[in-house]
């Protein structure tokens, strides 16, 4: 059985996060151990305050685009907090901010709204923000042997091929991959 370093890293990071939050909670005078026995205690207890934190959610799309959403959380229960983000991977944290990341099996909203496949002057298959003639490059892939393309395919690339779905994104890449120039 092969040792999975990524799984070990994730569990270690999660364990560290739990310990850090327990330290933060205890530093604020909130006691978690023996909470049930404190109900009958004749001594007044400090009222527990919620933990206010900033959560940054990063979504990584197939086309390499990364979007960020900032959420302000009021956390009364760490158990509920972790359950809410169980589909996310914790990538960074400090006293009041946590950064989570998730791989999204789709193209980014930017591509859906305004992405076009095209070709640069030197024949590189490229995604543009807008039509290729505007030269706002988002991502470049591989050089194409333009001479081997049918004239209709050449014209499509010059005009720009809109990308509205993941399927169209994959289809265009697969269509032009056989025309790529191999670097040797």
């Amino acid at each position: 059985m092969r040792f999975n370093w990524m799984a070990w890293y994730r569990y270690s990071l999660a364990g560290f996060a739990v310990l850090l939050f327990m330290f933060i909670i205890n530093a604020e005078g909130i006691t978690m151990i023996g909470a049930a026995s404190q109900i009958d205690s004749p001594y007044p207890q400090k009222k527990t305050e919620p933990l206010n934190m900033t959560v940054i959610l990063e979504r990584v799309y197939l086309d390499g685009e990364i979007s960020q959403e900032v959420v302000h959380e009021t956390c009364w229960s760490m158990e509920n907090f972790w359950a809410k983000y169980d589909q996310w991977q914790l990538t960074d944290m400090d006293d009041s901010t946590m950064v989570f990341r998730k791989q999204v099996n789709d193209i980014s909203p930017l591509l859906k709204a305004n992405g076009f496949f095209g070709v640069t002057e030197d024949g590189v298959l490229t995604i543009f923000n807008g039509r290729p003639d505007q030269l706002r490059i988002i991502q470049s892939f591989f050089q194409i042997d333009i001479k081997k393309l049918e004239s209709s395919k050449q014209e499509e690339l010059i005009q720009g091929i809109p990308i509205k779905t993941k399927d169209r994104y994959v289809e265009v890449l697969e269509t032009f991959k056989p025309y790529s120039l191999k670097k040797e």
Side-chain angles (χ1 to χ4, degrees):
M1 182 173 192
R2 194 170 74 107
F3 185 75
N4 188 337
W5 284 103
M6 190 54 123
W8 177 84
Y9 173 76
R10 286 180 182 166
Y11 287 122
S12 297
L13 195 56
F16 174 75
V18 170
L19 290 174
L20 181 64
F21 275 111
M22 290 185 75
F23 174 78
I24 291 169
I25 289 170
N26 285 333
E28 293 178 3
I30 302 167
T31 305
M32 307 239 344
I33 301 171
S37 65
Q38 294 176 5
I39 295 171
D40 298 325
S41 173
Y43 304 105
Q45 298 296 317
K46 185 175 181 180
K47 184 179 178 188
T48 56
E49 297 291 325
L51 185 59
N52 293 313
M53 65 181 86
T54 301
V55 176
I56 300 172
L57 302 173
E58 294 181 340
R59 291 172 178 86
V60 182
Y61 296 92
L62 290 176
D63 53 280
E65 191 73 22
I66 299 174
S67 70
Q68 285 190 337
E69 176 185 358
V70 178
V71 180
H72 298 284
E73 291 277 355
T74 301
C75 180
W76 290 92
S77 162
M78 289 311 297
E79 185 177 317
N80 290 343
F81 176 82
W82 288 114
K84 183 174 182 177
Y85 296 105
D86 70 338
Q87 299 298 310
W88 295 79
Q89 178 184 15
L90 180 66
T91 59
D92 194 18
M93 65 182 235
D94 61 28
D95 292 343
S96 62
T97 305
M98 297 184 91
V99 181
F100 289 98
R101 182 172 278 189
K102 180 191 271 190
Q103 299 291 326
V104 179
N105 189 18
D106 199 0
I107 59 172
S108 65
L110 172 66
L111 284 194
K112 289 179 180 179
N114 207 31
F116 286 83
F117 272 106
V119 68
T120 60
E121 288 180 10
D122 54 347
V124 176
L125 182 66
T126 303
I127 294 178
F128 296 89
N129 183 3
R131 298 268 177 197
D133 58 357
Q134 297 173 350
L135 299 178
R136 295 182 297 179
I137 296 173
I138 295 175
Q139 184 178 13
S140 295
F141 295 96
F142 44 82
Q143 192 165 11
I144 296 174
D145 188 349
I146 300 290
K147 296 174 200 146
K148 290 187 179 178
L149 287 178
E150 302 169 15
S151 59
S152 62
K153 295 258 187 242
Q154 288 179 17
E155 188 59 32
E156 271 187 283
L157 286 174
I158 292 168
Q159 295 300 316
I161 302 169
I163 311 165
K164 299 293 182 197
T165 65
K166 172 188 163 190
D167 292 339
R168 183 68 172 153
Y169 173 84
V170 172
E171 176 190 343
V172 172
L173 284 176
E174 293 302 316
T175 298
F176 291 102
K177 190 173 260 177
Y179 301 101
S180 68
L181 293 174
K182 309 287 187 232
K183 291 186 179 180
E184 299 181 34

